[in-house]
Amino acid sequence: MSADASDPVLRRIEGRAAYLTLNRPRALNALTHPMVRAIDAALIAWERDEGVATVVVSGAGERGLCAGGDIRAIHADAVAGGRASLDFWRDEYRLNARIAAFRKPYVAFMDGIVMGGGVGVSAHGSVRIVTERSSVAMPETGIGFVPDVGGTHLLARAPGELGTHLALTGLPVGAADALLCGLADHFVPAAELPRLAAALADASPAEALRGRTATAPEGELAGHRAWIDVCYRGDSVERIVARLLDHGDPAAKEAARTILTRSPTSLKVTLAALRRARALGALEPVLEQEYRVSAAALRSPDLVEGVRAQVIDKDRRPRWSPAELSGVTDAAVERYFAPLPDGRAGLFTDRTD
């Protein structure tokens, strides 16, 4: 049981279920480093506790599960040339791997906004529930960053080129499209979540879900597969954009216009990361890759500029460097995948738990 209702991570056990609530509703439950450590410690304890059969994860407030990492803190660290973000990501990505390998049912309520790090603490779980209010996104290219928290692993596994579309545009999807892309498993109306949470105290997820699932409201992506799967093939962002602009479907042209507002460097690194994630296959090697990419992004001008434009000043007018896709060389992209310069060990080489 959490000692204080104001704790940023609330923990309690009822019946056979352990409940974990992200509790920073004013910040849309954005993750801090202490929160990541608290979640990880709870999962270690609950996995060993024979009295716990199921873990249930949700977010406090009505707006969403989690908007991602504390991007203001990352921005401040990047401006200062610090290392706090590297330590945060190291523990966060380890947590993502723990969730994926968790030996008990891990039920994530992906209600409301679920972005970035919020995807990391939910979409790697074994039972992922979306509602009519769900808005799921990996929006990193819009702030000069690259999908992380295992996001390139998840999106690389989406049907066809749906994952490439979501990664490059950074656009959010609703319940039906999250299900289609393999980011969620079940649709449950939001009003039913409190009763489902209570039922999980004494029933398995399969039993608790019986009679509570429904058909999600119609999505958009299924109807766009014809142009998405054709236009997003290949390893060149320039060719992808050209195909989108040349396609007759207005939605394809709109996708191209969206992509062209994103960081050119982030776009090229993101596409390379997705293609390499497909080849790597398993989650842990992909997280290792993402850690190298994130470390490089922390020192890039586009992350500082993107967060300034979108979050700090909110002028929505980022000045990317380089400003055009043509200015991003293959060598510049490759630097994001190079070994860490400080010789740090891999994410999982020194774990003892």
Side-chain angles (χ1 to χ4, degrees):
M1 181 77 70
S2 295
D4 190 334
S6 65
D7 284 351
V9 178
L10 303 179
R11 289 144 287 180
R12 74 182 195 278
I13 295 176
E14 292 182 12
R16 298 272 291 160
Y19 297 83
L20 190 152
T21 305
L22 307 184
N23 189 38
R24 295 182 70 214
R26 290 185 179 180
L28 236 170
N29 302 318
L31 292 170
T32 64
H33 200 169
M35 289 173 71
V36 166
R37 288 174 171 160
I39 297 167
D40 196 58
L43 293 183
I44 291 172
W46 290 338
E47 192 166 39
R48 295 169 179 168
D49 188 341
E50 294 183 359
V52 172
T54 303
V55 171
V56 184
V57 179
S58 62
E62 297 296 320
R63 297 170 61 198
L65 171 67
C66 176
D70 188 338
I71 200 67
R72 287 179 178 267
I74 294 171
H75 177 269
D77 188 42
V79 170
R83 300 173 59 89
S85 297
L86 296 177
D87 295 334
F88 167 65
W89 287 324
R90 186 178 185 84
D91 287 341
E92 184 183 27
Y93 300 172
R94 284 177 162 186
L95 172 62
N96 302 144
R98 186 182 305 285
I99 291 168
F102 201 67
R103 293 192 295 269
K104 298 176 181 180
Y106 181 100
V107 182
F109 287 3
M110 300 172 70
D111 185 35
I113 293 174
V114 185
M115 296 193 300
V119 174
V121 297
S122 59
H124 296 297
S126 54
V127 183
R128 306 162 301 173
I129 295 165
V130 284
T131 75
E132 71 278 6
R133 304 188 301 200
S134 293
S135 180
V136 183
M138 294 298 295
E140 287 77 10
T141 58
I143 58 167
F145 197 47
V146 178
D148 65 336
V149 298
T152 58
H153 172 77
L154 293 165
L155 295 176
R157 293 157 60 94
E161 295 295 336
L162 291 174
T164 311
H165 171 68
L166 296 184
L168 296 185
T169 63
L171 294 173
V173 294
D177 289 333
L179 293 164
L180 173 64
C181 292
L183 301 174
D185 306 302
H186 306 281
F187 174 82
V188 174
E192 191 63 31
L193 291 183
R195 287 183 287 272
L196 174 59
L200 286 164
D202 301 304
S204 70
E207 293 167 336
L209 283 165
R210 193 170 298 127
R212 291 188 165 92
T213 60
T215 301
E218 186 175 358
E220 298 179 3
L221 293 182
H224 295 325
R225 288 289 301 275
W227 60 265
I228 286 176
D229 288 349
V230 171
C231 294
Y232 284 96
R233 288 177 187 158
D235 300 332
S236 166
V237 178
E238 289 93 336
R239 282 195 291 274
I240 287 171
V241 170
R243 289 178 194 142
L244 290 169
L245 289 172
D246 288 343
H247 199 279
D249 194 311
K253 291 180 170 57
E254 183 60 29
R257 287 191 286 270
T258 297
I259 289 171
L260 290 172
T261 68
R262 307 319 194 199
S263 158
T265 300
S266 293
L267 290 169
K268 288 200 171 183
V269 175
T270 293
L271 185 60
L274 276 175
R275 299 305 188 240
R276 294 180 190 210
R278 283 181 178 174
L280 288 169
L283 175 61
E284 288 194 2
V286 175
L287 287 167
E288 295 274 13
Q289 172 176 276
E290 289 180 351
Y291 188 63
R292 295 194 300 274
V293 169
S294 296
L298 186 66
R299 302 290 176 251
S300 72
D302 277 7
L303 177 59
V304 170
E305 174 61 12
V307 177
R308 179 207 64 77
Q310 301 297 340
V311 180
I312 307 297
D313 297 337
K314 298 182 180 179
D315 59 28
R316 309 290 191 262
R317 298 177 65 183
R319 295 180 291 274
W320 304 123
S321 179
E324 305 290 339
L325 286 167
S326 59
V328 183
T329 66
D330 291 344
V333 171
E334 196 60 36
R335 282 196 289 272
Y336 279 73
F337 299 90
L340 297 178
D342 59 4
R344 283 192 167 200
L347 291 181
F348 307 103
T349 54
D350 59 349
R351 276 189 93 144
T352 58
D353 52 70

